[in-house]
PDB file of all heavy atoms in Angstrom:
ATOM      1  N   GLU A  71     -71.322  20.918 -16.586  1.00 98.00           N
ATOM      2  CA  GLU A  71     -70.104  20.418 -15.992  1.00 98.00           C
ATOM      3  C   GLU A  71     -69.189  21.628 -15.577  1.00 98.00           C
ATOM      4  O   GLU A  71     -68.702  21.619 -14.506  1.00 98.00           O
ATOM      5  CB  GLU A  71     -69.348  19.538 -16.978  1.00 98.00           C
ATOM      6  CG  GLU A  71     -68.185  18.841 -16.490  1.00 98.00           C
ATOM      7  CD  GLU A  71     -68.555  17.683 -15.411  1.00 98.00           C
ATOM      8  OE1 GLU A  71     -69.662  17.224 -15.425  1.00 98.00           O
ATOM      9  OE2 GLU A  71     -67.738  17.551 -14.523  1.00 98.00           O
ATOM     10  N   ALA A  72     -69.045  22.516 -16.373  1.00 98.00           N
ATOM     11  CA  ALA A  72     -68.237  23.746 -16.060  1.00 98.00           C
ATOM     12  C   ALA A  72     -68.943  24.549 -14.903  1.00 98.00           C
ATOM     13  O   ALA A  72     -68.199  25.037 -14.024  1.00 98.00           O
ATOM     14  CB  ALA A  72     -68.122  24.706 -17.331  1.00 98.00           C
ATOM     15  N   SER A  73     -70.243  24.639 -14.909  1.00 98.00           N
ATOM     16  CA  SER A  73     -70.909  25.229 -13.824  1.00 98.00           C
ATOM     17  C   SER A  73     -70.673  24.621 -12.389  1.00 98.00           C
ATOM     18  O   SER A  73     -70.515  25.178 -11.446  1.00 98.00           O
ATOM     19  CB  SER A  73     -72.433  25.308 -14.035  1.00 98.00           C
ATOM     20  OG  SER A  73     -72.681  26.063 -15.142  1.00 98.00           O
ATOM     21  N   LYS A  74     -70.656  23.188 -12.591  1.00 98.00           N
ATOM     22  CA  LYS A  74     -70.354  22.383 -11.407  1.00 98.00           C
ATOM     23  C   LYS A  74     -69.000  22.750 -10.820  1.00 98.00           C
ATOM     24  O   LYS A  74     -68.771  22.791  -9.690  1.00 98.00           O
ATOM     25  CB  LYS A  74     -70.523  20.868 -11.704  1.00 98.00           C
ATOM     26  CG  LYS A  74     -70.139  20.004 -10.556  1.00 98.00           C
ATOM     27  CD  LYS A  74     -70.430  18.599 -11.045  1.00 98.00           C
ATOM     28  CE  LYS A  74     -69.505  17.601 -10.307  1.00 98.00           C
ATOM     29  NZ  LYS A  74     -69.553  16.103 -10.794  1.00 98.00           N
ATOM     30  N   MET A  75     -67.957  22.785 -11.847  1.00 98.00           N
ATOM     31  CA  MET A  75     -66.618  23.051 -11.294  1.00 98.00           C
ATOM     32  C   MET A  75     -66.564  24.398 -10.636  1.00 98.00           C
ATOM     33  O   MET A  75     -65.855  24.525  -9.702  1.00 98.00           O
ATOM     34  CB  MET A  75     -65.703  23.082 -12.607  1.00 98.00           C
ATOM     35  CG  MET A  75     -65.555  21.761 -13.226  1.00 98.00           C
ATOM     36  SD  MET A  75     -64.888  20.439 -12.164  1.00 98.00           S
ATOM     37  CE  MET A  75     -66.139  19.171 -12.466  1.00 98.00           C
ATOM     38  N   LYS A  76     -67.377  25.352 -11.112  1.00 98.00           N
ATOM     39  CA  LYS A  76     -67.389  26.745 -10.532  1.00 98.00           C
ATOM     40  C   LYS A  76     -68.030  26.663  -9.155  1.00 98.00           C
ATOM     41  O   LYS A  76     -67.453  27.169  -8.142  1.00 98.00           O
ATOM     42  CB  LYS A  76     -68.031  27.695 -11.577  1.00 98.00           C
ATOM     43  CG  LYS A  76     -68.316  29.050 -10.913  1.00 98.00           C
ATOM     44  CD  LYS A  76     -68.857  30.016 -11.994  1.00 98.00           C
ATOM     45  CE  LYS A  76     -69.494  31.259 -11.515  1.00 98.00           C
ATOM     46  NZ  LYS A  76     -68.890  31.896 -10.307  1.00 98.00           N
ATOM     47  N   ASN A  77     -69.241  26.179  -9.216  1.00 98.00           N
ATOM     48  CA  ASN A  77     -70.170  26.291  -8.093  1.00 98.00           C
ATOM     49  C   ASN A  77     -69.933  25.243  -6.897  1.00 98.00           C
ATOM     50  O   ASN A  77     -70.085  25.509  -5.788  1.00 98.00           O
ATOM     51  CB  ASN A  77     -71.642  26.240  -8.367  1.00 98.00           C
ATOM     52  CG  ASN A  77     -71.973  27.350  -9.404  1.00 98.00           C
ATOM     53  OD1 ASN A  77     -71.515  28.432  -9.235  1.00 98.00           O
ATOM     54  ND2 ASN A  77     -72.787  27.172 -10.336  1.00 98.00           N
ATOM     55  N   VAL A  78     -69.472  24.023  -7.299  1.00 98.00           N
ATOM     56  CA  VAL A  78     -69.234  23.023  -6.314  1.00 98.00           C
ATOM     57  C   VAL A  78     -67.888  22.946  -5.838  1.00 98.00           C
ATOM     58  O   VAL A  78     -67.437  22.874  -4.749  1.00 98.00           O
ATOM     59  CB  VAL A  78     -69.745  21.685  -6.812  1.00 98.00           C
ATOM     60  CG1 VAL A  78     -69.490  20.500  -5.775  1.00 98.00           C
ATOM     61  CG2 VAL A  78     -71.187  21.655  -7.275  1.00 98.00           C
ATOM     62  N   TYR A  79     -66.840  22.965  -6.879  1.00 97.00           N
ATOM     63  CA  TYR A  79     -65.498  22.775  -6.578  1.00 97.00           C
ATOM     64  C   TYR A  79     -64.677  24.103  -6.509  1.00 97.00           C
ATOM     65  O   TYR A  79     -63.550  24.108  -6.241  1.00 97.00           O
ATOM     66  CB  TYR A  79     -64.820  21.844  -7.497  1.00 97.00           C
ATOM     67  CG  TYR A  79     -65.412  20.445  -7.578  1.00 97.00           C
ATOM     68  CD1 TYR A  79     -65.722  19.803  -8.735  1.00 97.00           C
ATOM     69  CD2 TYR A  79     -65.657  19.797  -6.309  1.00 97.00           C
ATOM     70  CE1 TYR A  79     -66.143  18.442  -8.722  1.00 97.00           C
ATOM     71  CE2 TYR A  79     -66.091  18.479  -6.366  1.00 97.00           C
ATOM     72  CZ  TYR A  79     -66.477  17.857  -7.513  1.00 97.00           C
ATOM     73  OH  TYR A  79     -66.898  16.589  -7.572  1.00 97.00           O
ATOM     74  N   GLY A  80     -65.361  25.193  -6.687  1.00 97.00           N
ATOM     75  CA  GLY A  80     -64.811  26.485  -6.584  1.00 97.00           C
ATOM     76  C   GLY A  80     -63.712  26.979  -7.591  1.00 97.00           C
ATOM     77  O   GLY A  80     -62.822  27.620  -7.406  1.00 97.00           O
ATOM     78  N   ALA A  81     -63.988  26.365  -8.857  1.00 97.00           N
ATOM     79  CA  ALA A  81     -63.058  26.782  -9.877  1.00 97.00           C
ATOM     80  C   ALA A  81     -63.206  28.384 -10.177  1.00 97.00           C
ATOM     81  O   ALA A  81     -64.351  28.852 -10.244  1.00 97.00           O
ATOM     82  CB  ALA A  81     -63.388  26.000 -11.225  1.00 97.00           C
ATOM     83  N   PRO A  82     -62.157  29.086 -10.250  1.00 96.00           N
ATOM     84  CA  PRO A  82     -62.236  30.504 -10.461  1.00 96.00           C
ATOM     85  C   PRO A  82     -62.617  30.895 -11.845  1.00 96.00           C
ATOM     86  O   PRO A  82     -61.746  31.305 -12.663  1.00 96.00           O
ATOM     87  CB  PRO A  82     -60.722  30.930 -10.072  1.00 96.00           C
ATOM     88  CG  PRO A  82     -59.904  29.788 -10.476  1.00 96.00           C
ATOM     89  CD  PRO A  82     -60.718  28.541 -10.295  1.00 96.00           C
ATOM     90  N   LEU A  83     -63.911  30.853 -12.025  1.00 97.00           N
ATOM     91  CA  LEU A  83     -64.435  31.193 -13.347  1.00 97.00           C
ATOM     92  C   LEU A  83     -65.489  32.202 -13.205  1.00 97.00           C
ATOM     93  O   LEU A  83     -66.259  32.324 -12.262  1.00 97.00           O
ATOM     94  CB  LEU A  83     -65.162  29.887 -14.012  1.00 97.00           C
ATOM     95  CG  LEU A  83     -64.249  28.724 -14.457  1.00 97.00           C
ATOM     96  CD1 LEU A  83     -65.069  27.488 -14.380  1.00 97.00           C
ATOM     97  CD2 LEU A  83     -63.763  29.040 -15.820  1.00 97.00           C
ATOM     98  N   GLU A  84     -65.429  33.157 -14.282  1.00 97.00           N
ATOM     99  CA  GLU A  84     -66.491  34.163 -14.233  1.00 97.00           C
ATOM    100  C   GLU A  84     -67.756  33.494 -14.865  1.00 97.00           C
ATOM    101  O   GLU A  84     -67.594  32.663 -15.789  1.00 97.00           O
ATOM    102  CB  GLU A  84     -66.068  35.270 -15.193  1.00 97.00           C
ATOM    103  CG  GLU A  84     -64.833  36.064 -14.658  1.00 97.00           C
ATOM    104  CD  GLU A  84     -64.918  36.752 -13.396  1.00 97.00           C
ATOM    105  OE1 GLU A  84     -66.107  37.260 -13.145  1.00 97.00           O
ATOM    106  OE2 GLU A  84     -63.920  36.781 -12.569  1.00 97.00           O
ATOM    107  N   GLU A  85     -68.891  33.911 -14.526  1.00 97.00           N
ATOM    108  CA  GLU A  85     -70.190  33.459 -15.096  1.00 97.00           C
ATOM    109  C   GLU A  85     -70.097  33.442 -16.594  1.00 97.00           C
ATOM    110  O   GLU A  85     -70.526  32.646 -17.298  1.00 97.00           O
ATOM    111  CB  GLU A  85     -71.342  34.193 -14.546  1.00 97.00           C
ATOM    112  CG  GLU A  85     -72.675  33.556 -14.557  1.00 97.00           C
ATOM    113  CD  GLU A  85     -72.673  32.259 -13.802  1.00 97.00           C
ATOM    114  OE1 GLU A  85     -72.216  32.108 -12.711  1.00 97.00           O
ATOM    115  OE2 GLU A  85     -73.413  31.310 -14.375  1.00 97.00           O
ATOM    116  N   SER A  86     -69.580  34.676 -17.117  1.00 97.00           N
ATOM    117  CA  SER A  86     -69.501  34.920 -18.593  1.00 97.00           C
ATOM    118  C   SER A  86     -68.537  33.960 -19.236  1.00 97.00           C
ATOM    119  O   SER A  86     -68.528  33.936 -20.535  1.00 97.00           O
ATOM    120  CB  SER A  86     -69.151  36.353 -18.819  1.00 97.00           C
ATOM    121  OG  SER A  86     -67.799  36.631 -18.369  1.00 97.00           O
ATOM    122  N   GLN A  87     -67.690  33.262 -18.568  1.00 97.00           N
ATOM    123  CA  GLN A  87     -66.624  32.301 -19.214  1.00 97.00           C
ATOM    124  C   GLN A  87     -67.210  30.913 -19.408  1.00 97.00           C
ATOM    125  O   GLN A  87     -66.663  30.192 -20.137  1.00 97.00           O
ATOM    126  CB  GLN A  87     -65.415  32.286 -18.403  1.00 97.00           C
ATOM    127  CG  GLN A  87     -64.692  33.615 -18.312  1.00 97.00           C
ATOM    128  CD  GLN A  87     -63.535  33.570 -17.365  1.00 97.00           C
ATOM    129  OE1 GLN A  87     -63.609  32.949 -16.194  1.00 97.00           O
ATOM    130  NE2 GLN A  87     -62.475  34.165 -17.765  1.00 97.00           N
ATOM    131  N   LEU A  88     -68.356  30.653 -18.789  1.00 98.00           N
ATOM    132  CA  LEU A  88     -68.946  29.281 -18.752  1.00 98.00           C
ATOM    133  C   LEU A  88     -69.333  28.870 -20.204  1.00 98.00           C
ATOM    134  O   LEU A  88     -69.053  27.810 -20.701  1.00 98.00           O
ATOM    135  CB  LEU A  88     -70.086  29.093 -17.854  1.00 98.00           C
ATOM    136  CG  LEU A  88     -69.671  29.348 -16.342  1.00 98.00           C
ATOM    137  CD1 LEU A  88     -70.937  29.292 -15.480  1.00 98.00           C
ATOM    138  CD2 LEU A  88     -68.638  28.272 -15.944  1.00 98.00           C
ATOM    139  N   GLU A  89     -70.058  29.843 -20.861  1.00 97.00           N
ATOM    140  CA  GLU A  89     -70.625  29.495 -22.190  1.00 97.00           C
ATOM    141  C   GLU A  89     -69.507  29.317 -23.181  1.00 97.00           C
ATOM    142  O   GLU A  89     -69.497  28.347 -23.916  1.00 97.00           O
ATOM    143  CB  GLU A  89     -71.618  30.600 -22.645  1.00 97.00           C
ATOM    144  CG  GLU A  89     -72.603  30.245 -23.700  1.00 97.00           C
ATOM    145  CD  GLU A  89     -72.012  30.224 -25.106  1.00 97.00           C
ATOM    146  OE1 GLU A  89     -71.050  30.968 -25.388  1.00 97.00           O
ATOM    147  OE2 GLU A  89     -72.473  29.484 -25.955  1.00 97.00           O
ATOM    148  N   PRO A  90     -68.468  30.224 -23.255  1.00 97.00           N
ATOM    149  CA  PRO A  90     -67.455  29.971 -24.226  1.00 97.00           C
ATOM    150  C   PRO A  90     -66.634  28.720 -23.958  1.00 97.00           C
ATOM    151  O   PRO A  90     -66.175  28.012 -24.884  1.00 97.00           O
ATOM    152  CB  PRO A  90     -66.512  31.286 -24.077  1.00 97.00           C
ATOM    153  CG  PRO A  90     -67.335  32.188 -23.338  1.00 97.00           C
ATOM    154  CD  PRO A  90     -68.406  31.560 -22.617  1.00 97.00           C
ATOM    155  N   ILE A  91     -66.464  28.350 -22.726  1.00 98.00           N
ATOM    156  CA  ILE A  91     -65.841  27.137 -22.399  1.00 98.00           C
ATOM    157  C   ILE A  91     -66.594  25.871 -22.851  1.00 98.00           C
ATOM    158  O   ILE A  91     -66.098  24.958 -23.574  1.00 98.00           O
ATOM    159  CB  ILE A  91     -65.457  27.011 -20.851  1.00 98.00           C
ATOM    160  CG1 ILE A  91     -64.274  27.884 -20.541  1.00 98.00           C
ATOM    161  CG2 ILE A  91     -65.186  25.561 -20.505  1.00 98.00           C
ATOM    162  CD1 ILE A  91     -63.795  27.879 -19.114  1.00 98.00           C
ATOM    163  N   ALA A  92     -67.963  25.961 -22.506  1.00 98.00           N
ATOM    164  CA  ALA A  92     -68.822  24.911 -23.068  1.00 98.00           C
ATOM    165  C   ALA A  92     -68.714  24.778 -24.598  1.00 98.00           C
ATOM    166  O   ALA A  92     -68.702  23.636 -25.133  1.00 98.00           O
ATOM    167  CB  ALA A  92     -70.188  25.114 -22.585  1.00 98.00           C
ATOM    168  N   ALA A  93     -68.800  25.924 -25.228  1.00 98.00           N
ATOM    169  CA  ALA A  93     -68.733  25.939 -26.704  1.00 98.00           C
ATOM    170  C   ALA A  93     -67.460  25.231 -27.293  1.00 98.00           C
ATOM    171  O   ALA A  93     -67.397  24.589 -28.208  1.00 98.00           O
ATOM    172  CB  ALA A  93     -68.831  27.321 -27.201  1.00 98.00           C
ATOM    173  N   TYR A  94     -66.263  25.500 -26.499  1.00 98.00           N
ATOM    174  CA  TYR A  94     -65.026  24.963 -26.817  1.00 98.00           C
ATOM    175  C   TYR A  94     -65.010  23.405 -26.564  1.00 98.00           C
ATOM    176  O   TYR A  94     -64.665  22.605 -27.388  1.00 98.00           O
ATOM    177  CB  TYR A  94     -63.875  25.640 -26.140  1.00 98.00           C
ATOM    178  CG  TYR A  94     -62.634  24.966 -26.353  1.00 98.00           C
ATOM    179  CD1 TYR A  94     -61.945  24.936 -27.531  1.00 98.00           C
ATOM    180  CD2 TYR A  94     -62.056  24.193 -25.297  1.00 98.00           C
ATOM    181  CE1 TYR A  94     -60.733  24.204 -27.742  1.00 98.00           C
ATOM    182  CE2 TYR A  94     -60.838  23.513 -25.538  1.00 98.00           C
ATOM    183  CZ  TYR A  94     -60.254  23.506 -26.762  1.00 98.00           C
ATOM    184  OH  TYR A  94     -59.058  22.796 -26.872  1.00 98.00           O
ATOM    185  N   LEU A  95     -65.506  23.044 -25.366  1.00 98.00           N
ATOM    186  CA  LEU A  95     -65.412  21.652 -24.930  1.00 98.00           C
ATOM    187  C   LEU A  95     -66.270  20.789 -25.832  1.00 98.00           C
ATOM    188  O   LEU A  95     -65.793  19.579 -26.131  1.00 98.00           O
ATOM    189  CB  LEU A  95     -65.793  21.535 -23.469  1.00 98.00           C
ATOM    190  CG  LEU A  95     -64.859  22.151 -22.473  1.00 98.00           C
ATOM    191  CD1 LEU A  95     -65.391  22.062 -21.088  1.00 98.00           C
ATOM    192  CD2 LEU A  95     -63.470  21.504 -22.610  1.00 98.00           C
ATOM    193  N   VAL A  96     -67.289  21.348 -26.406  1.00 97.00           N
ATOM    194  CA  VAL A  96     -68.202  20.388 -27.170  1.00 97.00           C
ATOM    195  C   VAL A  96     -67.353  20.216 -28.587  1.00 97.00           C
ATOM    196  O   VAL A  96     -67.646  19.140 -29.222  1.00 97.00           O
ATOM    197  CB  VAL A  96     -69.599  20.975 -27.425  1.00 97.00           C
ATOM    198  CG1 VAL A  96     -69.587  22.142 -28.447  1.00 97.00           C
ATOM    199  CG2 VAL A  96     -70.561  19.925 -27.844  1.00 97.00           C
ATOM    200  N   THR A  97     -66.492  21.020 -28.997  1.00 97.00           N
ATOM    201  CA  THR A  97     -65.612  20.787 -30.099  1.00 97.00           C
ATOM    202  C   THR A  97     -64.542  19.713 -29.828  1.00 97.00           C
ATOM    203  O   THR A  97     -64.105  19.133 -30.723  1.00 97.00           O
ATOM    204  CB  THR A  97     -64.915  22.010 -30.665  1.00 97.00           C
ATOM    205  OG1 THR A  97     -63.884  22.404 -29.735  1.00 97.00           O
ATOM    206  CG2 THR A  97     -65.883  23.225 -30.857  1.00 97.00           C
TER     207      THR A  97
END
Side-chain angles (χ1 to χ4, degrees):
E71 189 65 33
S73 299
K74 175 179 156 186
M75 294 302 130
K76 173 177 164 34
N77 298 322
V78 181
Y79 296 136
L83 288 157
E84 302 295 324
E85 203 61 38
S86 63
Q87 295 174 321
L88 297 176
E89 201 280 334
I91 284 182
Y94 170 72
L95 292 175
V96 78
T97 69

